[in-house]
Amino acid sequence: MTIKSQNNFGLNFVGSGSATPSQIIKNDDLRIRVETNDLWIKTRTGISERRIIGENESLTGLSSQAGQGAIQMAGWDPENIDLLILATSTPDDLFGSAAQIQASLGAKKAVVFDLTAACSGFLFAVVTACQYLLNGSMNKALVIGADQLSRWVDWDDRGSCILFGDGAGAVAIQSIPEAENGLLGFRLRSDGSRGNCLNLKSIEEYKPLVKDSIYQKGGFSPINMNGQEVYKFAVREVPTILDELLSETNVKPSDLDWLLLHQANQRILDAVADRFKIPYEKVLSNLASYGNTSAATIPLMLDEAVKDGRVKPGDLIASSGFGAGLSWGAALFRWHGPL
Ligand code: COA
């Protein structure tokens, strides 16, 4: 979908922030737990280590830190933020963790809520926030992508536990006159009929309530994943959705400054780049250090590349997220930086 502003509003990405846990788990550390090795993990995934939340850290804490970083870069007063969306599948509170983040940031005026779309959550949340900015009803939105999948990984399943890590990233998005709009287009997709290849389901345990009635006890089973099916889904759907988005916006792959994909597996990143003949130097990757941090991967990667000067104001970025649901999406935007 190309962007059609309703009231002559556009938007810009004006700040980024990120935060990762201090505890580092290297590939070789996992050998103590499951039968695996550094070479296998590196060759099949590109991952060398991941960060896992320990005792004195939390998803809410990392999210607040990431949000704070984006607010600072944007030069915003937190009291002027209109909207805060936390994209996560692993909140500290099932009623939503966004409000605790709002309180710690002092974003008193902001409407806040959690949004769940697994590893696609950040892109889904950015597109959601952008609707409010483009229709003129809001001016400043903070979007945070954060996950603590380490809570739900089966640490005895070598087929999946090697992939995931914890982290948080954020972007500050501000409405501006339409002529300078930095979001060129987006596409989002979902397909529940293929959801069984990656899920984190509630447990089916029933307890007696009163008389003959029962209730379902709360809790979730560990992540269940068919790696090969998810791999095939990603290398088929991500190029397709990016292709549709580029055609719709009349952008050629060679026009892109950066490809910013959900960091799930280096082989998936390389396959998408090959499909569009995009040189690997233009494909942002920090998988080696963090693994797959779910909703956090895209803003975490963006923040790193903005801070180290790779991504510069005006750079054109094609981003795509994909994951459980199944869900996937793509967005085409220009990084602006502080106004
Ligand atoms: N260490 C060593 N060997 C392992 C292993 C590990 N951690 N995990 C699996 N193996 C073994 C398998 O048992 C199998 O052995 P076999 O040939 O003796 O049966 C062999 O390695 C190949 O397994 P396979 O599952 O075919 O590997 P793969 O090349 O498909 O790689 C993934 C597995 C999970 C890395 C890959 O499928 C993948 O990344 N899929 C996408 C997952 C994903 O991104 N999920 C999140 C999406 S948001």
Side-chain angles (χ1 to χ4, degrees), residues 55-101:
E55 238 175 336
N56 298 318
E57 293 164 327
S58 69
L59 181 94
T60 306
L62 290 183
S63 302
S64 302
Q65 248 179 285
Q68 182 68 43
I71 292 170
Q72 261 168 15
M73 189 187 290
W76 287 354
D77 175 348
E79 293 204 11
N80 292 334
I81 297 173
D82 301 297
L83 175 68
L84 186 167
I85 306 180
L86 171 67
T88 189
S89 307
T90 55
D92 289 331
D93 183 335
L94 271 187
F95 287 148
S97 288
Q100 288 307 306
I101 298 166

Side-chain angles (χ1 to χ4, degrees), residues 28-247:
D28 270 336
D29 298 332
L30 290 175
R31 293 176 65 179
I32 301 162
R33 184 94 190 199
V34 289
E35 200 183 327
T36 190
N37 60 76
D38 182 49
L39 184 63
W40 192 96
I41 302 173
K42 270 192 191 142
T43 330
R44 302 276 177 141
T45 71
I47 299 166
S48 299
E49 57 190 44
R50 68 286 295 140
R51 296 187 170 226
I52 302 295
I53 289 178
E55 238 175 336
N56 298 318
E57 293 164 327
S58 69
L59 181 94
T60 306
L62 290 183
S63 302
S64 302
Q65 248 179 285
Q68 182 68 43
I71 292 170
Q72 261 168 15
M73 189 187 290
W76 287 354
D77 175 348
E79 293 204 11
N80 292 334
I81 297 173
D82 301 297
L83 175 68
L84 186 167
I85 306 180
L86 171 67
T88 189
S89 307
T90 55
D92 289 331
D93 183 335
L94 271 187
F95 287 148
S97 288
Q100 288 307 306
I101 298 166
Q102 174 205 34
S104 81
L105 293 175
K108 292 182 197 153
K109 211 179 74 179
V111 174
V112 310
F113 56 89
D114 289 17
L115 181 152
T116 300
C119 298
S120 312
F122 177 74
L123 273 193
F124 278 47
V126 163
V127 169
T128 303
C130 289
Q131 305 313 308
Y132 292 96
L133 302 185
L134 289 168
N135 73 20
S137 60
M138 290 183 179
N139 181 250
K140 291 185 175 71
L142 183 67
V143 178
I144 302 172
D147 264 308
Q148 186 178 357
L149 283 184
S150 62
R151 276 174 172 156
W152 302 109
V153 164
D154 177 351
W155 287 106
D156 295 314
D157 173 16
R158 68 174 184 170
S160 61
C161 76
I162 51 142
L163 295 175
F164 300 107
D166 303 332
V171 290
I173 315 174
Q174 186 162 340
S175 96
I176 42 101
E178 188 186 7
E180 298 158 41
N181 182 32
L183 179 69
L184 282 67
F186 66 86
R187 283 182 89 84
L188 304 177
R189 296 289 308 275
S190 310
D191 181 2
S193 70
R194 288 189 274 166
N196 272 348
C197 60
L198 180 57
N199 52 38
L200 203 177
K201 285 195 163 168
S202 59
I203 47 170
E204 290 203 23
E205 190 182 343
Y206 295 89
K207 300 267 186 192
L209 181 59
V210 288
K211 296 184 188 163
D212 294 335
S213 54
I214 54 170
Y215 74 95
Q216 187 179 1
K217 188 174 158 25
F220 294 88
S221 305
I223 292 171
N224 165 54
M225 184 183 79
N226 179 333
Q228 290 187 357
E229 281 306 310
V230 175
Y231 188 90
K232 281 190 260 172
F233 146 70
V235 296
R236 189 170 46 235
E237 301 295 3
V238 173
T240 304
I241 202 165
L242 277 171
D243 198 32
E244 289 165 357
L245 182 58
L246 293 177
S247 318

Side-chain angles (χ1 to χ4, degrees), residues 278-319:
I278 293 175
Y280 292 163
E281 307 85 74
K282 288 185 166 191
V283 183
L284 294 168
S285 172
N286 61 6
L287 262 165
S289 313
Y290 303 111
N292 179 346
T293 55
S294 190
T297 65
I298 292 175
L300 180 59
M301 182 67 254
L302 178 66
D303 186 49
E304 186 179 307
V306 165
K307 298 245 166 77
D308 69 21
R310 270 177 291 171
V311 168
K312 296 182 178 58
D315 277 1
L316 183 59
I317 302 173
S319 186

